[in-house]
Amino acid sequence: MMNDTVIAQLKDIVGEANVLTDKADLVTYSYDATADLPSRMPDVIVLPATTAEVRHIVLIAKKNKLAVYPRGAGTNLSGGTIPLQRGIVLSFQRMDRILEVDPENLTATVQAGVVIQALNDAVAPYGLMYPPDPGTVTTATMGGSVAECAGGLRGLKYGVTKHYVLGMEVVLASGEVFRFGGKTVKNVTAYDFASLFVGSEGTLGIITQITVKLVPPPQYRKAMLATFQRLEDAGNTVTGIIKAHIIPATLEIMDRVTIQTVENYAKVGLPTDAEALLLIEVDGGSQDLVDAEAEAVLKVIVEHGGKVRLAQSEVERDRIWTARRAALPALAQVSPTTILEDATVPRNRIADMLVAVQDIARRYRLRIGTFGHAGDGNLHPTILTDVRNAEEMERVHRAVDEIFATALRLGGTLSGEHGIGLAKMKYLGDELNGSGLNLMRCLKDALDPDSILNPAKMVPLKRSL
Amino acid sequence: MNTALFDSLDGVADALSRCMKCGNCMAVCPVYLTEKREASYARGKLAIAEAVLRGDLRLDDESVQEKLFNCIVCTSCMQSCPCGVDVSGIVIALRAALARGNGLPAIKKLIFRTLRNPPLFNRLMKTGASLQGLGLRRIPGDAGYELRFNVGLLAKRIFPGLAATPFREQAPERISFHKPRATAAFFTGCTFNYIFPGVAWDVVQVLVENDVEIVIPAGQQCCGIALLAHGDVEGARDLARKNLDIMDTCGADHIVTACGSCGESWQHGFPNLLADDPVYGPMADFWKSRTFDISTFLTEVVPFRKPEGRIAATVTYHDSCHLKKVMKVFAEPRTILQSIPGVTLKEMARPDACCGSGGSYTITHPETSAGISGRKIADLLRTGADEVVTGCPGCMMQISEGLSRAKQTMAAGHYISLLARSYREAG
């Protein structure tokens, strides 16, 4: 139970200024970036500065059986940080120190609240980069993106967050501080704890420090824009490129609705009569290599009836990526509510998925723009709607159900990069079955027996099983 | 921004519905970057506004008010908002509702009444100028004054000095030429008039050098942006009408400003405030497109004569929020600086990051403002520049104060002063 004693104890730990209880403050931590979900005010927000403070807060929560909701920037798209059972929001916004950049081991160690872009800015002078680049790279925190296993535009060649985490410091629900991994490239000591905590969405432990791998950025690159008159041709081109053993750094798609909306919004000269676009970049360590890859990609595009334009300058390249980055903002301008999904399928089924989404949009009379990381099989069907229109929202929910069912039918998964959180919990059994849900329950019970860590997210509560 | 937002909360719900809570605004909000609180930046403030409209929060709740006023209205968030949410319109609409509901706090009322009463304002500023030596101590360099005695909150502030004679009392109402290239009215704004008359004279000199006939109507008043920002919509409207009356009859073809806030008022504030006014609305629209920052005027309306006087200096330029983000003026001052022989322009990191001034924000929120200023000062010192210039007197004061705190002897200037100096050096 939350009471004045608890508040006073929290103030003792982090100082009065870093404990927020004003109702107006509570409102501002009651939601995250996910549309169409319930919001709930926490009892209190605590902003610690050190791991020791986090530990003390967890001990208080444990003693008083209070929910603890770790929160970075609150930019996730699965409702993962909404404090559904009130309790304590543990904000990492002040824990934003880059503890070390190690150019000899190509690693960096950061506190959980460091913004991804800030890490990239700090390692750039060493000629290094941290590749995971979710759309929220300028706001999202390392802790949040590790807890959600964020992806981004470079996933195809460079992988996603889980491929870069070497070690962590985690505060467990027991109040113990657990450190594992470090700067070694290899490490098979005991279980693969990184895999346990990356993507755990704050349900198994509270990430306070992370050591990540850095890489030198590619020196050469070539971007191109391919235009298709049939959606299937674009999808088959994606499969064709992968099948030809070319791994572009980025291989993105936009459907007709997205193309037209982006052009209307950003005026970057996209062909508005096209049915689909592929935006592609190959990169590498030498010009010859990059030229050869670009040539091979070009061949596949032409074979599938696409027209291609190579970026002739940095300005043209920037224009292509400006168009891609404008996709979500442009779609978001169209209507008050933007529902962004991230169903993901094997890459050879991308054409089927694209066509299925178009069909769903037609049948449910909805406006859906689809774009996304085609090379990863990771699409973002984006439904343009208005939560104030109950009748339409009913159709939206049925369409979303069907999008997920389709992804699973095609051998895909519910979420490529946004996570389960609150938004997709009800579909979890469809992918993992009873045995999967039981395993999750076992893990959760073992690590967090009192269910105080981000309760009612990802792992269904006991009584609802 | 539209008048419906200013006058009632009805339009606010629609404006709010555009926000998708993506949080992009967090990355650029100077207040958030200092305080690290959700309520510091736009997404949180909009959520509070939604809660107020839903009835979950009360507008007269002290904590709600405190959060609504903890915004510089620098519009940085609006530049990176993917959904085009009118954040400043919403914030001002709520402040206006507050002002209508339980009125402005007494001290603000007093200040604003003074701003609306030019003779009283003038008398106060002159009295202040003659008395400032008593309570204030001049700081080495040109940063201004600090208090001689410790007076609570204000103890650590550095105050700019007040001019003994305001600019408009020193300057003639008209400077004529036989064959002028254009006739421009100089809307001086309060800060140049009372605090930086030297810069105002530099504006005059540059216009003279370019054969521009100048009108400086003595009756011009405060642009009213401070009133509007605090929700005193009627007060701001009153000033807008008076300024329109004066400028409309002074015989100028253009209005020239050297302050982002004044220019913004003419280009956006007045037309928005008076959109439903049958007489003044069209008048405000007429002057909207004829008002220019002095840099735009010199590059687009009356191309300026190339300066020949040499100023051997590395200069860094700070983008005023209202100049860049609202008036979209950022290339022109740089063009002017780069035209000066001997001047090397060296950009600081994040030249358009807010300096934390925000007019009265620096006084009402000294700690956050100082935090914001600290980042700006670090960025500009890292360039190693000999001079820092900007296009807004508010930024000049704030940056000069920050430099002084950082034990620097340099003070921030206005870019137009460098151009004037180059003309003078050439003789």
Side-chain angles (χ1 to χ4, degrees):
Chain A
M1 258 302 283
M2 180 62 68
N3 54 45
D4 290 348
T5 316
V6 172
I7 301 286
Q9 288 168 339
L10 293 170
K11 285 180 179 171
D12 276 347
I13 296 168
V14 295
E16 185 149 4
N18 295 308
V19 175
L20 312 179
T21 51
D22 278 351
K23 194 172 174 194
D25 278 313
L26 301 181
V27 164
T28 63
Y29 291 82
S30 67
Y31 52 80
D32 55 31
T34 323
D36 190 30
L37 285 183
S39 63
R40 188 95 198 262
M41 283 189 283
D43 291 310
V44 60
I45 299 114
V46 190
L47 297 107
T50 64
T51 302
E53 289 177 3
V54 173
R55 182 174 167 264
H56 287 301
I57 296 161
V58 169
L59 287 173
I60 289 179
K62 179 174 144 67
K63 180 156 180 270
N64 296 281
K65 300 264 187 291
L66 289 167
V68 179
Y69 292 94
R71 180 183 170 108
T75 52
N76 76 86
L77 294 167
S78 58
T81 45
I82 299 170
L84 268 188
Q85 303 196 339
R86 306 207 63 169
I88 301 170
V89 164
L90 192 58
S91 166
F92 279 88
Q93 286 160 306
R94 285 178 67 226
M95 281 182 67
D96 60 354
R97 282 194 304 133
I98 294 171
L99 301 170
E100 188 196 29
V101 176
D102 182 345
E104 292 180 344
N105 284 304
L106 308 190
T107 64
T109 301
V110 299
Q111 280 190 316
V114 167
V115 172
I116 303 172
Q117 186 63 48
L119 173 61
N120 267 313
D121 292 345
V123 303
Y126 299 95
L128 294 168
M129 71 167 186
Y130 172 71
D133 63 338
T136 49
V137 67
T138 61
T139 50
T141 63
M142 289 296 292
S145 61
V146 168
E148 297 287 330
C149 191
L153 263 64
R154 290 195 281 242
L156 176 55
K157 183 168 181 177
Y158 293 97
V160 297
T161 302
K162 69 177 171 190
H163 301 113
Y164 291 88
V165 176
L166 296 175
M168 267 188 222
E169 178 188 78
V170 181
V171 175
L172 302 174
S174 61
E176 289 167 288
V177 177
F178 174 47
R179 297 181 68 102
F180 64 87
K183 294 181 183 178
T184 61
V185 174
K186 294 177 173 174
N187 180 333
V188 291
T189 300
Y191 292 126
D192 183 1
F193 294 114
S195 291
L196 182 64
F197 290 106
V198 174
S200 64
E201 302 188 7
T203 61
L204 300 180
I206 298 174
I207 301 165
T208 47
Q209 250 183 50
I210 306 143
T211 298
V212 293
K213 180 166 82 175
L214 304 171
V215 300
Q219 299 301 306
Y220 300 91
R221 58 196 183 189
K222 206 163 212 176
M224 64 194 91
L225 185 74
T227 314
F228 298 87
Q229 289 314 319
R230 282 166 18 115
L231 195 55
E232 296 90 318
D233 291 341
N236 290 329
T237 301
V238 173
T239 312
I241 291 171
I242 308 288
K243 202 173 144 201
H245 300 182
I246 311 153
I247 309 293
T250 308
L251 175 44
E252 296 284 312
I253 195 165
M254 278 187 197
D255 75 347
R256 188 188 183 90
V257 173
T258 311
I259 298 166
Q260 291 176 347
T261 315
V262 167
E263 186 51 29
N264 191 31
Y265 168 78
K267 308 265 184 285
V268 278
L270 297 181
T272 48
D273 57 339
E275 212 38 61
L277 289 182
L278 290 179
L279 304 86
I280 308 166
E281 183 162 293
V282 290
D283 67 13
S286 84
Q287 190 66 57
D288 290 350
L289 210 72
V290 169
D291 287 346
E293 282 204 353
E295 196 55 44
V297 170
L298 230 113
K299 192 161 157 267
V300 178
I301 294 168
V302 174
E303 276 169 14
H304 287 87
K307 278 194 232 147
V308 71
R309 199 168 79 207
L310 272 166
Q312 299 298 336
S313 64
E314 279 296 298
V315 177
E316 266 190 59
R317 172 188 180 266
D318 288 347
R319 207 176 299 144
I320 291 178
W321 298 119
T322 302
R324 168 59 183 87
R325 276 191 294 271
L328 180 57
L331 290 168
Q333 292 261 4
V334 175
S335 60
T337 308
T338 308
I339 296 184
L340 180 68
E341 293 302 349
D342 75 323
T344 301
V345 294
R347 290 173 289 199
N348 65 344
R349 306 308 298 270
I350 199 95
D352 299 327
M353 188 67 197
L354 285 163
V355 172
V357 171
Q358 269 200 349
D359 179 52
I360 289 169
R362 200 163 33 242
R363 280 190 289 113
Y364 290 98
R365 292 174 286 120
L366 293 170
R367 205 143 167 219
I368 304 184
T370 299
F371 63 95
H373 322 302
D376 306 335
N378 182 188
L379 294 177
H380 290 310
T382 304
I383 309 178
L384 313 179
T385 181
D386 187 343
V387 285
R388 296 170 294 188
N389 180 344
E391 184 272 327
E392 184 168 288
M393 286 313 288
E394 159 66 23
R395 280 183 278 129
V396 168
H397 294 146
R398 288 195 349 247
V400 169
D401 290 349
E402 207 171 317
I403 288 173
F404 286 126
T406 308
L408 293 180
R409 184 169 50 77
L410 294 173
T413 182
L414 296 170
S415 178
E417 57 183 5
H418 295 169
I420 298 302
L422 180 61
K424 288 173 210 149
M425 236 166 62
K426 67 169 174 167
Y427 304 109
L428 215 47
D430 299 340
E431 181 167 341
L432 298 181
N433 301 318
S435 57
L437 291 179
N438 281 336
L439 178 59
M440 285 179 67
R441 187 73 255 165
C442 286
L443 283 170
K444 175 75 174 168
D445 282 346
L447 274 88
D448 179 21
D450 297 321
S451 245
I452 60 170
L453 301 181
N454 203 7
K457 305 291 174 54
M458 186 139 89
V459 190
L461 288 174
K462 275 177 198 151
R463 59 178 172 278
S464 60
L465 260 180
Chain B
M1 210 186 284
N2 56 50
T3 45
L5 273 188
F6 292 143
D7 293 313
S8 86
L9 284 177
D10 296 346
V12 173
D14 252 3
L16 281 171
S17 72
R18 299 180 74 100
C19 173
M20 60 171 185
K21 304 274 188 297
C22 67
N24 276 7
C25 40
M26 188 182 343
V28 291
C29 174
V31 177
Y32 171 77
L33 293 173
T34 307
E35 298 180 344
K36 299 288 177 93
R37 300 284 191 275
E38 282 292 317
S40 305
Y41 69 101
R43 179 171 69 166
K45 290 190 169 65
L46 300 182
I48 289 171
E50 283 171 8
V52 167
L53 293 191
R54 269 200 317 270
D56 288 348
L57 283 174
R58 290 174 56 93
L59 194 53
D60 57 8
D61 180 324
E62 203 177 306
S63 155
V64 169
Q65 293 189 24
E66 175 206 310
K67 286 167 172 68
L68 287 177
F69 279 95
N70 188 20
C71 166
I72 305 180
V73 201
C74 69
T75 75
S76 297
C77 51
M78 294 167 69
Q79 317 306 311
S80 69
C81 178
C83 305
V85 178
D86 182 4
V87 180
S88 65
I90 293 168
V91 166
I92 290 173
L94 284 153
R95 291 178 182 179
L98 204 55
R100 281 195 304 274
N102 51 347
L104 291 163
I107 179 74
K108 282 183 177 159
K109 253 186 203 155
L110 182 71
I111 295 172
F112 294 156
R113 228 183 9 244
T114 311
L115 286 179
R116 288 171 65 181
N117 181 340
L120 176 62
F121 187 20
N122 206 27
R123 209 157 56 235
L124 275 177
M125 293 306 253
K126 280 158 78 177
T127 311
S130 65
L131 292 178
Q132 62 191 357
L134 292 177
L136 299 168
R137 176 175 25 231
R138 190 155 189 91
I139 288 175
D142 204 14
Y145 294 82
E146 62 187 356
L147 285 176
R148 283 186 193 278
F149 316 103
N150 190 343
V151 199
L153 248 190
L154 297 175
K156 291 202 188 96
R157 283 210 59 79
I158 295 165
F159 297 90
L162 289 170
T165 310
F167 170 72
R168 292 198 298 263
E169 288 183 24
Q170 305 173 20
E173 275 212 66
R174 184 174 286 270
I175 300 171
S176 301
F177 288 91
H178 175 49
K179 276 187 180 165
R181 290 167 74 196
T183 303
F186 179 22
F187 185 77
T188 68
C190 301
T191 319
F192 287 132
N193 190 40
Y194 292 110
I195 293 174
F196 297 123
V199 179
W201 278 115
D202 288 336
V203 171
V204 169
Q205 189 197 344
V206 166
L207 290 172
V208 167
E209 290 279 353
N210 286 286
D211 303 334
V212 176
E213 183 167 35
I214 310 162
V215 192
I216 310 170
Q220 59 178 292
Q221 310 205 1
C222 169
C223 73
I225 198 163
L227 278 70
L228 181 60
H230 285 86
D232 183 0
V233 174
E234 280 316 311
R237 276 197 180 116
D238 181 40
L239 284 172
R241 290 191 185 104
K242 285 179 179 153
N243 278 315
L244 280 163
D245 277 337
I246 285 160
M247 288 303 185
D248 209 56
T249 51
C250 78
D253 306 318
H254 310 279
I255 294 172
V256 166
T257 59
C259 160
S261 303
C262 293
E264 171 186 343
S265 295
W266 282 95
Q267 287 187 353
H268 302 273
F270 297 173
N272 284 332
L273 277 167
L274 300 169
D276 297 334
D277 186 315
V279 178
Y280 287 92
M283 220 151 113
D285 279 339
F286 177 87
W287 286 106
K288 171 189 167 93
S289 54
R290 287 168 177 79
T291 300
F292 300 94
D293 181 68
I294 178 81
S295 65
T296 315
F297 186 76
L298 291 173
T299 47
E300 285 173 19
V301 185
V302 177
F304 69 109
R305 187 167 65 71
K306 175 112 180 71
E308 283 165 2
R310 195 172 170 77
I311 299 176
T314 303
V315 176
T316 193
Y317 177 77
H318 160 73
D319 283 293
S320 135
C321 291
H322 290 227
L323 202 54
K324 179 174 183 191
K325 293 162 192 161
V326 185
M327 293 178 75
K328 310 295 176 199
V329 174
F330 52 92
E332 302 94 314
R334 289 176 168 84
T335 304
I336 288 177
L337 289 170
Q338 282 167 322
S339 75
I340 301 171
V343 165
T344 309
L345 179 63
K346 189 158 182 214
E347 295 286 353
M348 66 183 92
R350 301 172 283 267
D352 61 354
C354 176
C355 68
S357 161
S360 59
Y361 186 85
T362 181
I363 295 165
T364 54
H365 296 77
E367 284 180 16
T368 303
S369 175
I372 298 167
S373 169
R375 280 197 304 279
K376 174 57 65 180
I377 300 300
D379 282 345
L380 71 88
L381 287 180
R382 222 170 284 126
T383 62
D386 311 309
E387 306 217 20
V388 50
V389 291
T390 181
C392 162
C395 303
M396 281 170 65
M397 285 196 273
Q398 173 84 350
I399 293 174
S400 295
E401 189 198 16
L403 285 165
S404 173
R405 275 179 205 278
K407 309 276 179 263
Q408 303 289 318
T409 48
M410 150 169 83
H414 196 285
Y415 65 83
I416 207 68
S417 298
L418 279 189
L419 180 61
R421 208 199 305 169
S422 175
Y423 283 142
R424 283 197 293 270
E425 299 275 318

